[in-house]
């Protein structure tokens, strides 16, 4: 059985392939945009996906469909295994600093559909002492 870090690495590799296929690039200044931009088809323009990401407009559907498939694969890999699901929740609670803030709302958004507040609060409460000791 794969470990959570192995599944995350595989997801990252799948995303990298998709990003390259779609011509996705990242830029946080005009200079970075000019240096990183990918080729366009004649008459095409770039669109933003947010967070500094850009891709050719003609690749948006490919990107969205690909991300949907990757996310579906990832959720199946994790959701079908109770231990991995718990580890995913613990990871995201730490990632969104829930142990310090006492708030799980960002964690729930990060986990996405399929996770309930009740489930996340249960793990939060069970792990709180261990995480803050």
């Amino acid at each position: 059985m794969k470990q959570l870090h192995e599944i995350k690495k595989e997801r990252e590799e799948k995303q990298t392939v998709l990003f390259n296929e779609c011509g996705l690039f990242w830029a946080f200044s005009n200079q970075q945009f000019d240096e990183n931009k990918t080729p366009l088809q004649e008459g095409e323009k770039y669109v933003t996906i947010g967070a500094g990401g850009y891709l050719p407009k003609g690749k948006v559907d490919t990107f969205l469909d690909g991300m949907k498939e990757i996310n579906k694969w990832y959720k199946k890999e994790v959701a079908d295994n109770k231990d991995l699901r718990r580890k995913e929740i613990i990871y995201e609670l730490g990632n969104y600093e829930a142990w310090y803030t006492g708030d799980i709302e960002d964690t729930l958004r990060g986990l996405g559909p399929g996770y309930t507040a009740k489930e996340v609060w249960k793990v939060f409460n069970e792990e709180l002492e261990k995480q803050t000791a």
Side-chain angles (χ1 to χ4, degrees), residues 14-26:
K14 290 174 182 280
Q15 288 172 334
T16 297
V17 168
L18 177 64
F19 294 172
N20 289 336
E21 177 186 332
C22 293
L24 178 63
F25 66 96
W26 309 95

PDB file of all heavy atoms in Angstrom, residues 14-26:
ATOM      1  N   LYS A  14       1.904  14.118 -11.867  1.00  0.00           N
ATOM      2  CA  LYS A  14       0.791  14.204 -12.819  1.00  0.00           C
ATOM      3  C   LYS A  14       0.476  15.662 -13.132  1.00  0.00           C
ATOM      4  O   LYS A  14       0.215  16.019 -14.290  1.00  0.00           O
ATOM      5  CB  LYS A  14      -0.466  13.514 -12.258  1.00  0.00           C
ATOM      6  CG  LYS A  14      -0.385  12.007 -12.173  1.00  0.00           C
ATOM      7  CD  LYS A  14      -1.620  11.448 -11.462  1.00  0.00           C
ATOM      8  CE  LYS A  14      -1.578   9.956 -11.299  1.00  0.00           C
ATOM      9  NZ  LYS A  14      -1.957   9.224 -12.486  1.00  0.00           N
ATOM     10  N   GLN A  15       0.503  16.523 -12.103  1.00  0.00           N
ATOM     11  CA  GLN A  15       0.229  17.938 -12.312  1.00  0.00           C
ATOM     12  C   GLN A  15       1.311  18.586 -13.182  1.00  0.00           C
ATOM     13  O   GLN A  15       0.994  19.379 -14.065  1.00  0.00           O
ATOM     14  CB  GLN A  15       0.122  18.668 -10.970  1.00  0.00           C
ATOM     15  CG  GLN A  15      -1.137  18.333 -10.216  1.00  0.00           C
ATOM     16  CD  GLN A  15      -1.158  18.907  -8.809  1.00  0.00           C
ATOM     17  OE1 GLN A  15      -0.114  19.146  -8.196  1.00  0.00           O
ATOM     18  NE2 GLN A  15      -2.359  19.105  -8.291  1.00  0.00           N
ATOM     19  N   THR A  16       2.551  18.223 -12.952  1.00  0.00           N
ATOM     20  CA  THR A  16       3.649  18.787 -13.744  1.00  0.00           C
ATOM     21  C   THR A  16       3.487  18.439 -15.221  1.00  0.00           C
ATOM     22  O   THR A  16       3.658  19.294 -16.098  1.00  0.00           O
ATOM     23  CB  THR A  16       5.006  18.288 -13.215  1.00  0.00           C
ATOM     24  OG1 THR A  16       5.165  18.757 -11.874  1.00  0.00           O
ATOM     25  CG2 THR A  16       6.162  18.790 -14.072  1.00  0.00           C
ATOM     26  N   VAL A  17       3.128  17.200 -15.516  1.00  0.00           N
ATOM     27  CA  VAL A  17       2.886  16.778 -16.901  1.00  0.00           C
ATOM     28  C   VAL A  17       1.748  17.615 -17.499  1.00  0.00           C
ATOM     29  O   VAL A  17       1.858  18.129 -18.617  1.00  0.00           O
ATOM     30  CB  VAL A  17       2.575  15.269 -16.983  1.00  0.00           C
ATOM     31  CG1 VAL A  17       2.051  14.878 -18.354  1.00  0.00           C
ATOM     32  CG2 VAL A  17       3.811  14.451 -16.630  1.00  0.00           C
ATOM     33  N   LEU A  18       0.652  17.757 -16.749  1.00  0.00           N
ATOM     34  CA  LEU A  18      -0.485  18.540 -17.226  1.00  0.00           C
ATOM     35  C   LEU A  18      -0.099  20.004 -17.439  1.00  0.00           C
ATOM     36  O   LEU A  18      -0.446  20.593 -18.467  1.00  0.00           O
ATOM     37  CB  LEU A  18      -1.645  18.444 -16.228  1.00  0.00           C
ATOM     38  CG  LEU A  18      -2.880  19.284 -16.558  1.00  0.00           C
ATOM     39  CD1 LEU A  18      -3.540  18.811 -17.859  1.00  0.00           C
ATOM     40  CD2 LEU A  18      -3.871  19.246 -15.404  1.00  0.00           C
ATOM     41  N   PHE A  19       0.617  20.591 -16.499  1.00  0.00           N
ATOM     42  CA  PHE A  19       1.018  21.996 -16.612  1.00  0.00           C
ATOM     43  C   PHE A  19       1.866  22.207 -17.869  1.00  0.00           C
ATOM     44  O   PHE A  19       1.673  23.176 -18.601  1.00  0.00           O
ATOM     45  CB  PHE A  19       1.805  22.447 -15.388  1.00  0.00           C
ATOM     46  CG  PHE A  19       1.021  22.465 -14.096  1.00  0.00           C
ATOM     47  CD1 PHE A  19       1.667  22.699 -12.902  1.00  0.00           C
ATOM     48  CD2 PHE A  19      -0.352  22.237 -14.055  1.00  0.00           C
ATOM     49  CE1 PHE A  19       0.968  22.722 -11.699  1.00  0.00           C
ATOM     50  CE2 PHE A  19      -1.062  22.255 -12.864  1.00  0.00           C
ATOM     51  CZ  PHE A  19      -0.398  22.499 -11.685  1.00  0.00           C
ATOM     52  N   ASN A  20       2.786  21.290 -18.121  1.00  0.00           N
ATOM     53  CA  ASN A  20       3.626  21.402 -19.312  1.00  0.00           C
ATOM     54  C   ASN A  20       2.791  21.246 -20.584  1.00  0.00           C
ATOM     55  O   ASN A  20       2.992  21.979 -21.552  1.00  0.00           O
ATOM     56  CB  ASN A  20       4.752  20.372 -19.280  1.00  0.00           C
ATOM     57  CG  ASN A  20       5.799  20.697 -18.236  1.00  0.00           C
ATOM     58  OD1 ASN A  20       5.970  21.846 -17.838  1.00  0.00           O
ATOM     59  ND2 ASN A  20       6.485  19.684 -17.764  1.00  0.00           N
ATOM     60  N   GLU A  21       1.865  20.297 -20.571  1.00  0.00           N
ATOM     61  CA  GLU A  21       0.990  20.066 -21.722  1.00  0.00           C
ATOM     62  C   GLU A  21       0.136  21.309 -22.031  1.00  0.00           C
ATOM     63  O   GLU A  21      -0.110  21.616 -23.191  1.00  0.00           O
ATOM     64  CB  GLU A  21       0.078  18.876 -21.427  1.00  0.00           C
ATOM     65  CG  GLU A  21      -0.941  18.571 -22.506  1.00  0.00           C
ATOM     66  CD  GLU A  21      -1.910  17.466 -22.083  1.00  0.00           C
ATOM     67  OE1 GLU A  21      -1.540  16.612 -21.266  1.00  0.00           O
ATOM     68  OE2 GLU A  21      -3.047  17.489 -22.578  1.00  0.00           O
ATOM     69  N   CYS A  22      -0.266  22.006 -20.995  1.00  0.00           N
ATOM     70  CA  CYS A  22      -1.150  23.167 -21.165  1.00  0.00           C
ATOM     71  C   CYS A  22      -0.395  24.481 -21.321  1.00  0.00           C
ATOM     72  O   CYS A  22      -1.011  25.524 -21.554  1.00  0.00           O
ATOM     73  CB  CYS A  22      -2.097  23.285 -19.975  1.00  0.00           C
ATOM     74  SG  CYS A  22      -3.283  21.938 -19.879  1.00  0.00           S
ATOM     75  N   GLY A  23       0.917  24.466 -21.180  1.00  0.00           N
ATOM     76  CA  GLY A  23       1.685  25.700 -21.284  1.00  0.00           C
ATOM     77  C   GLY A  23       1.489  26.613 -20.085  1.00  0.00           C
ATOM     78  O   GLY A  23       1.627  27.831 -20.192  1.00  0.00           O
ATOM     79  N   LEU A  24       1.179  26.043 -18.948  1.00  0.00           N
ATOM     80  CA  LEU A  24       0.975  26.821 -17.726  1.00  0.00           C
ATOM     81  C   LEU A  24       2.320  27.322 -17.222  1.00  0.00           C
ATOM     82  O   LEU A  24       3.302  26.587 -17.201  1.00  0.00           O
ATOM     83  CB  LEU A  24       0.309  25.945 -16.663  1.00  0.00           C
ATOM     84  CG  LEU A  24       0.068  26.576 -15.294  1.00  0.00           C
ATOM     85  CD1 LEU A  24      -0.891  27.759 -15.389  1.00  0.00           C
ATOM     86  CD2 LEU A  24      -0.476  25.536 -14.331  1.00  0.00           C
ATOM     87  N   PHE A  25       2.349  28.585 -16.833  1.00  0.00           N
ATOM     88  CA  PHE A  25       3.563  29.159 -16.253  1.00  0.00           C
ATOM     89  C   PHE A  25       3.169  30.112 -15.136  1.00  0.00           C
ATOM     90  O   PHE A  25       2.013  30.485 -14.993  1.00  0.00           O
ATOM     91  CB  PHE A  25       4.412  29.866 -17.322  1.00  0.00           C
ATOM     92  CG  PHE A  25       3.751  31.082 -17.916  1.00  0.00           C
ATOM     93  CD1 PHE A  25       4.033  32.351 -17.427  1.00  0.00           C
ATOM     94  CD2 PHE A  25       2.850  30.957 -18.967  1.00  0.00           C
ATOM     95  CE1 PHE A  25       3.426  33.475 -17.978  1.00  0.00           C
ATOM     96  CE2 PHE A  25       2.244  32.076 -19.526  1.00  0.00           C
ATOM     97  CZ  PHE A  25       2.528  33.340 -19.023  1.00  0.00           C
ATOM     98  N   TRP A  26       4.173  30.481 -14.336  1.00  0.00           N
ATOM     99  CA  TRP A  26       3.951  31.327 -13.168  1.00  0.00           C
ATOM    100  C   TRP A  26       4.743  32.608 -13.324  1.00  0.00           C
ATOM    101  O   TRP A  26       5.892  32.590 -13.776  1.00  0.00           O
ATOM    102  CB  TRP A  26       4.369  30.596 -11.889  1.00  0.00           C
ATOM    103  CG  TRP A  26       3.750  29.247 -11.810  1.00  0.00           C
ATOM    104  CD1 TRP A  26       4.303  28.068 -12.206  1.00  0.00           C
ATOM    105  CD2 TRP A  26       2.427  28.940 -11.396  1.00  0.00           C
ATOM    106  NE1 TRP A  26       3.403  27.046 -12.033  1.00  0.00           N
ATOM    107  CE2 TRP A  26       2.238  27.553 -11.528  1.00  0.00           C
ATOM    108  CE3 TRP A  26       1.366  29.695 -10.902  1.00  0.00           C
ATOM    109  CZ2 TRP A  26       1.062  26.913 -11.200  1.00  0.00           C
ATOM    110  CZ3 TRP A  26       0.189  29.047 -10.562  1.00  0.00           C
ATOM    111  CH2 TRP A  26       0.045  27.683 -10.719  1.00  0.00           C
TER     112      TRP A  26
END
